[in-house]
Amino acid sequence: MDPNWIVIHPNDIVEFCAPLLNADSCVLSEYPLVRLDSSPDGLPKKLSKALDYKTTVYYEVTILELSFNPQTVVSVGLATKPYPPFRMVGWNKYSIGIHSDDGRLFENDKFGGRSFTGPFSKSQTIGCGYDEISGRVFFTIDGAFIAEATKKPSRHPYHACIAADGKAVLSFNFGKQPFMF
């Protein structure tokens, strides 16, 4: 992967500029994720009873632009460092992510994932949360809780991670703005 294929703009905007389809590239956050109980808009309205606000970190990504010819796949989730810069989220050990083309969830799995939600696309906001104590991971789309994602929860030093295999522009929200969730 050419490092020039990813441009990080001010205001938490990330642009994937790969000239070819299937040129997977990813970015991991350096920021600590914000705990839900410290978000500026207060606590989310709905959260699984198994998750604790005081130990859950969360972020959101909005898809601002997405190449449709050919279709770019975006993946959103969590990964540990170091993570290969040429892999989609969820394809390597200690990573978990959902993919935009089919909504499938990949958890340490490069072989097809499992059904999780429907596809998502431009203008949608995908959220990812992680309970640092229990190890549970969950996802939201446009502020709606989808489900817990982990089959066997485990604790890891996760970072926010996004990837794309083509041209896309994404906006991160680490808690500077009110969450949709």
Side-chain angles (χ1 to χ4, degrees), residues 47-120:
L47 187 65
S48 168
K49 293 178 183 176
L51 298 168
D52 184 343
Y53 291 110
K54 295 178 183 170
T55 60
T56 299
V57 294
Y58 181 76
Y59 77 100
E60 291 179 337
V61 173
T62 301
I63 302 172
L64 301 177
E65 294 179 30
L66 193 62
S67 173
F68 288 103
N69 191 12
Q71 175 73 38
T72 294
V73 177
V74 169
S75 59
V76 176
L78 302 168
T80 59
K81 286 187 173 186
Y83 194 79
F86 52 85
R87 302 291 288 176
M88 297 297 274
V89 185
W91 285 1
N92 278 45
K93 195 168 186 177
Y94 309 123
S95 69
I96 185 168
I98 54 175
H99 292 214
S100 65
D101 60 334
D102 54 13
R104 293 183 73 79
L105 175 79
F106 291 78
E107 183 177 6
N108 312 317
D109 172 15
K110 62 182 177 184
F111 297 111
R114 63 182 166 93
S115 293
F116 187 70
T117 188
F120 49 92

Side-chain angles (χ1 to χ4, degrees), residues 28 31 56 107 112 115 129 138 152 162:
L28 270 83
Y31 303 109
T56 299
E107 183 177 6
S115 293
F138 67 94
K152 296 179 182 176
I162 58 171

Side-chain angles (χ1 to χ4, degrees), residues 1-6 16 18 22-28 75 79-89 91-92 161-165:
M1 178 203 72
D2 182 335
N4 296 322
W5 289 357
I6 300 173
F16 291 89
N22 298 323
D24 301 344
S25 48
C26 78
V27 175
L28 270 83
S75 59
T80 59
K81 286 187 173 186
Y83 194 79
F86 52 85
R87 302 291 288 176
M88 297 297 274
V89 185
W91 285 1
N92 278 45
C161 187
I162 58 171
D165 69 356

Side-chain angles (χ1 to χ4, degrees), residues 23-38:
D24 301 344
S25 48
C26 78
V27 175
L28 270 83
S29 70
E30 289 291 334
Y31 303 109
L33 296 175
V34 66
R35 284 209 166 87
L36 286 174
D37 66 349
S38 65

Side-chain angles (χ1 to χ4, degrees), residues 4-20:
N4 296 322
W5 289 357
I6 300 173
V7 179
I8 300 178
H9 298 281
N11 301 321
D12 299 319
I13 303 289
V14 176
E15 182 176 2
F16 291 89
C17 308
L20 305 170

